[in-house]
Amino acid sequence: MAKNPLDNADNPADSYSASSIQVLEGLEAVRKRPGMYIGSTGPTGLHHLVWEVVDNAVDEAMAGYCSRVDVTILKDGGVQVLDDGRGIPVGIHPKYDDLTAAEVVLTVLHAGGKFGEGGYKVSGGLHGVGVSVVNALSTRVEVEIDRDGKRHAMSFVAGGQPDRKLEVIGDAPAAAVSVADGESIDEIGEENGRTRTGTMVRFWPDPAVFKEGIEFRTQTLVERFQMMAFLNAGLEFHLIDERDPEFEEVVLRYDGGIKDFVNHLNGSKEAMFEQVGHYSDEDGGDTVDIAFSWNTGYQTDGIHSFANGINTIEGGMHEQGFRTALTRTVNAYARDKGVIKEKDDNLQGEDIREGLTAIISVRVVEPQFEGQTKSKLGNVSVRSLVEKATNERLREWFEENPKEAKAVVTKATNAAKARIAATQARQTIRRKSALDGAGLPGKLADCQSKDPAESELYIVEGNSAGGSAKEARDPRTMAILPIRGKILNVERARIDRMFKNAEVISLIQAIGAGLGEEFDVAKGRYHKVILLADADVDGSHIRTLLLTFFFRQMRPLVEAGYVYVAQPPLFSTEVGRSKIYLKDDVARDAYLATHPNAEFQRLKGLGEMDADELWETTMDPEKRTLLQVTAEQAAIADEVFAVLMGDDVESRKKFIQANADDVRFLDI
Ligand code: 0RA
């Protein structure tokens, strides 16, 4: 906890006035209740520190002053964020007579970029708490600012206590000359009369705050920066991980912005036409940007929305406006062109959204974030903005691209037919009362307990493994459903076909909570649905098919945290007359370190274990490790699934080969 600087005679903060004390009390509040400012003190909160600093650089980019952000994970666990924005202002702050604006930004809550002139019109950052929070939760922060021709530096220790007041440490270097394509100057950094501006923030998170650890996950940073790069056309991110000598610098820059985002999400799918549609509009400082394309696939959830750079996974007014206007526009167009006759029913939204990939990005001056995870946009005015833009501009796009428009309408018409066929198929099944849980599948060995909270369903690949699992289980709480062969690939199958698949039907019956839009997680018969398949590539494939099925057709089950992946061991070794199982390479290496000469067998399949072994290694709640499947980052998950499951066989093969070991740990 930060000490009162006045208690320490050696502290340079001695010269600070009453306002500085106030300032430190603010940071003290952050240290007392960090969760209130960064959501949690777990890995999510830890990464939030990086987002806070990077958001400031992105704000500079949005205001038109920053073109590049360099993020470095330092060897000693700190993080450095360097941008070429205007630099945090270095003059004396009007409200705090003895502090520079830069010191205020680093030590006063909410000071961010919101004060004085030159403040941002539209700001990112879900919490928007500002860099001072990063300061409060770090053991050390170092800042360098290039501005007004000078390089300035300051630093803080122990949760925001001044270590070195802002001072000039030299001249700012010359500004980089931007070299256009084909020009002869190839030396970046050459004098052009101007000096560089920008901010460098280096921080070391406080392990006393982040008790679960202070290790940053590179992939998390890459995914976030990629999203930001898509949403800010032309902005260039560089990521370096100095902890890993093998790490190759990641550079992310998309000059096509959200159009590139759509292409990227569609990358592994078969696009219906070459060009990505795009339009934007503006009203009273709020802006909307939309890019869209259709692919030949059947999913209906390809709309991804963002507000001020935040992925609004719970949707909101911008999404609503788009959906309404999309449905309206396609129906109006189809009627005008005579594809739908007067007496015909309208196409439904889901028909039109089949195969659609769209990015909706809005910037809102005063965003209202609502919902459970504060990721739903509540501004009603944004709905009309998006609706109006879509009504006008999408219609224009259809008129200008008649071939594409026709393909869209034809696809939607086919989807409508399939929807009607599915309703009929569903009714047939319901008549047999299969979907309502009255009939349980014959292959299911159900558990005795009727309390979903303690009941577990093991979905086991193959009949022989299914047999072992039935023998091994605790019949009171564990149900076993053997699944034969590969279930239908749901990414590619329309719902009407899925109802005809025996494996899919038995899954739906066993879980007993319905399917698709009718899925009701409260009716689920098990709070743990555990996928148990071999630890090899075939097992990975089946696991992925099942995960895709749950993700697409029973998403609330995934969101509730009810879906798990069991981890059968990969290796076994004989020790005397007993056998020891080790779950992965790490466990094997650890074992080898203490038991030289052990010979390992790579296990080929679950079928090789008898019931006792299966219980011991994989099912015993006392010993097993289950991986909980999460549905975070739907946009990225969409892509992972698409790569794995989509029509593009080549990229699917490549993905599975590249990730053969990881696929079983697939963390959607
Ligand atoms: C306050 C005001 C202005 C910019 C910033 C803060 C700022 C903060 C950070 C943090 C990391 N990089 C940053 N870049 C800028 C506006 C500057 C002006 O009006 O000139």
Side-chain angles (χ1 to χ4, degrees):
M1 199 52 51
K3 282 186 291 180
N4 184 333
L6 298 181
D7 291 346
N8 183 348
D10 297 332
N11 197 307
D14 278 3
S15 58
Y16 275 54
S17 69
S19 62
S20 340
I21 309 299
Q22 239 180 327
V23 156
L24 286 171
E25 279 168 359
L27 295 193
E28 187 97 35
V30 179
R31 289 180 66 85
K32 278 209 183 92
R33 313 191 62 186
M36 273 191 46
Y37 299 87
I38 52 165
S40 80
T41 54
T44 311
L46 176 74
H47 287 82
H48 201 105
L49 301 183
V50 183
W51 313 153
E52 272 309 332
V53 182
V54 172
D55 280 352
N56 279 277
V58 172
D59 281 350
E60 285 291 290
M62 277 165 53
Y65 298 102
C66 171
S67 63
R68 178 171 165 163
V69 185
D70 285 79
V71 179
T72 309
I73 309 176
L74 305 168
K75 263 206 195 74
D76 62 6
V79 171
Q80 171 179 300
V81 180
L82 170 71
D83 67 55
D84 63 354
R86 283 169 292 184
I88 310 178
V90 293
I92 292 293
H93 191 279
K95 241 178 75 186
Y96 302 84
D97 48 351
D98 59 345
L99 293 180
T100 60
E103 284 162 313
V104 172
V105 167
L106 264 290
T107 54
V108 179
L109 294 183
H110 301 287
K114 306 276 160 55
F115 58 81
E117 299 227 352
Y120 308 114
K121 270 218 308 226
V122 168
S123 183
L126 184 47
H127 306 273
V129 283
V131 248
S132 57
V133 167
V134 176
N135 200 6
L137 302 176
S138 297
T139 54
R140 177 169 186 80
V141 171
E142 296 170 1
V143 181
E144 284 180 20
I145 298 163
D146 285 347
R147 201 175 154 116
D148 306 334
K150 298 289 175 201
R151 175 159 294 177
H152 311 71
M154 63 178 165
S155 58
F156 303 86
V157 291
Q161 304 201 49
D163 173 60
R164 172 193 206 179
K165 272 186 78 75
L166 188 76
E167 61 179 329
V168 172
I169 57 166
D171 291 333
V177 180
S178 58
V179 183
D181 277 351
E183 273 182 342
S184 60
I185 313 167
D186 55 2
E187 231 177 283
I188 298 285
E190 186 140 325
E191 293 277 352
N192 69 346
R194 288 184 295 116
T195 52
R196 201 193 96 87
T197 62
T199 306
M200 190 278 293
V201 176
R202 226 181 263 144
F203 66 92
W204 288 264
D206 189 342
V209 173
F210 300 96
K211 296 205 177 66
E212 287 175 46
I214 50 170
E215 200 145 317
F216 290 97
R217 188 172 162 263
T218 319
Q219 194 53 29
T220 303
L221 300 188
V222 171
E223 283 167 12
R224 176 83 169 205
F225 298 154
Q226 182 174 45
M227 185 185 93
M228 290 176 142
F230 278 129
L231 293 174
N232 295 278
L235 178 59
E236 189 166 307
F237 285 88
H238 290 243
L239 177 66
I240 295 175
D241 184 353
E242 287 184 347
R243 299 168 305 182
D244 173 6
E246 316 265 280
F247 187 83
E248 285 190 40
E249 179 171 4
V250 174
V251 180
L252 296 155
R253 171 179 169 168
Y254 302 99
D255 289 338
I258 60 172
K259 278 163 81 172
D260 288 348
F261 201 166
V262 167
N263 270 330
H264 174 80
L265 290 171
N266 256 339
S268 59
K269 298 171 187 164
E270 195 187 322
M272 276 182 24
F273 32 83
E274 216 156 276
Q275 115 231 67
V276 174
H278 176 250
Y279 54 88
S280 30
D281 204 354
E282 182 268 332
D283 183 36
D286 295 349
T287 62
V288 55
D289 244 306
I290 293 180
F292 60 94
S293 179
W294 271 266
N295 61 64
T296 55
Y298 302 122
Q299 40 175 123
T300 54
D301 56 356
I303 299 177
H304 305 288
S305 67
F306 300 84
N308 295 3
I310 293 152
N311 188 188
T312 35
I313 49 175
E314 293 179 272
M317 290 300 161
H318 50 343
E319 252 192 71
Q320 236 187 60
F322 177 71
R323 284 165 188 261
T324 308
L326 171 71
T327 307
R328 191 192 154 277
T329 303
V330 173
N331 274 296
Y333 182 83
R335 282 191 189 280
D336 288 353
K337 304 291 167 193
V339 184
I340 306 182
K341 303 280 181 288
E342 213 173 315
K343 58 172 176 37
D344 291 342
D345 284 336
N346 261 352
L347 297 164
Q348 293 195 0
E350 61 185 286
D351 305 331
I352 295 161
R353 290 195 300 274
E354 194 187 89
L356 169 71
T357 302
I359 300 291
I360 305 166
S361 172
V362 297
R363 310 268 182 202
V364 185
V365 179
E366 279 182 52
Q368 292 155 18
F369 288 106
E370 303 171 346
Q372 277 212 314
T373 56
K374 291 265 174 276
S375 62
K376 180 176 182 180
L377 186 68
N379 303 60
V380 178
S381 61
V382 176
R383 183 176 58 199
S384 5
L385 169 63
V386 176
E387 212 175 313
K388 182 168 157 285
T390 304
N391 281 335
E392 291 169 11
R393 305 295 310 278
L394 187 61
R395 175 69 189 219
E396 268 169 43
W397 191 85
F398 281 155
E399 297 292 354
E400 284 161 15
N401 301 277
K403 243 184 41 217
E404 285 78 3
K406 187 174 169 221
V408 169
V409 172
T410 306
K411 181 162 176 48
T413 314
N414 288 335
K417 284 183 196 141
R419 169 173 51 78
I420 292 159
T423 308
Q424 280 158 2
R426 194 182 283 144
Q427 274 160 1
T428 314
I429 295 186
R430 196 173 290 131
R431 230 172 285 128
K432 294 187 208 144
S433 73
L435 278 182
D436 299 325
L440 288 171
K443 294 199 297 178
L444 175 74
D446 206 7
C447 54
Q448 288 148 9
S449 172
K450 294 292 166 241
D451 176 8
E454 63 169 2
S455 301
E456 305 178 345
L457 174 66
Y458 275 89
I459 301 172
V460 187
E461 170 201 6
N463 282 332
S464 72
S468 298
K470 277 183 195 173
E471 215 182 299
R473 69 180 175 144
D474 171 357
R476 202 182 69 76
T477 55
M478 295 176 177
I480 310 292
L481 180 69
I483 288 263
R484 184 168 35 86
K486 307 219 158 147
I487 61 159
L488 198 63
N489 183 340
V490 284
E491 172 82 14
R492 298 200 281 174
R494 272 195 174 121
I495 201 161
D496 54 324
R497 274 179 51 207
M498 285 175 37
F499 283 109
K500 300 192 176 104
N501 183 281
E503 305 301 284
V504 168
I505 291 174
S506 58
L507 250 181
I508 301 164
Q509 288 174 325
I511 291 170
L515 184 71
E517 289 185 0
E518 294 165 5
F519 185 81
D520 179 2
V521 71
K523 286 198 188 139
R525 302 176 59 249
Y526 313 92
H527 283 191
K528 284 201 174 72
V529 174
I530 302 166
L531 314 188
L532 176 54
D534 282 332
D536 59 11
V537 173
D538 275 348
S540 296
H541 192 199
I542 294 197
R543 213 172 359 255
T544 311
L545 286 166
L546 285 166
L547 286 178
T548 307
F549 174 76
F550 288 125
F551 190 73
R552 295 261 172 256
Q553 295 300 331
M554 300 187 178
R555 189 171 301 182
L557 195 74
V558 182
E559 283 164 350
Y562 291 173
V563 179
Y564 295 84
V565 174
Q567 280 186 283
L570 265 184
F571 301 101
S572 70
T573 182
E574 311 262 350
V575 178
R577 276 191 291 144
S578 60
K579 215 170 191 175
I580 288 184
Y581 291 94
L582 296 160
K583 77 173 161 92
D584 55 20
D585 301 288
V586 176
R588 183 194 53 183
D589 294 346
Y591 185 86
L592 270 177
T594 50
H595 305 76
N597 297 329
E599 278 203 29
F600 287 90
Q601 272 181 291
R602 204 179 167 97
L603 292 173
K604 288 204 188 62
L606 293 167
E608 284 178 32
M609 282 186 271
D610 62 28
D612 285 345
E613 290 168 332
L614 191 60
W615 172 260
E616 285 279 315
T617 60
T618 314
M619 295 175 72
D620 180 358
E622 301 287 324
K623 296 184 193 152
R624 72 186 176 191
T625 347
L626 296 181
L627 300 175
Q628 192 174 37
V629 177
T630 63
E632 267 177 38
Q633 293 185 304
I636 307 290
D638 186 35
E639 187 203 347
V640 173
F641 277 119
V643 169
L644 277 166
M645 313 309 304
D647 290 316
D648 182 348
V649 178
E650 222 13 72
S651 72
R652 184 163 69 237
K653 249 212 237 98
K654 269 198 220 134
F655 186 96
I656 292 186
Q657 278 161 3
N659 296 281
D661 284 339
D662 283 349
V663 172
R664 70 199 208 94
F665 301 116
L666 187 68
D667 180 17
I668 23 174

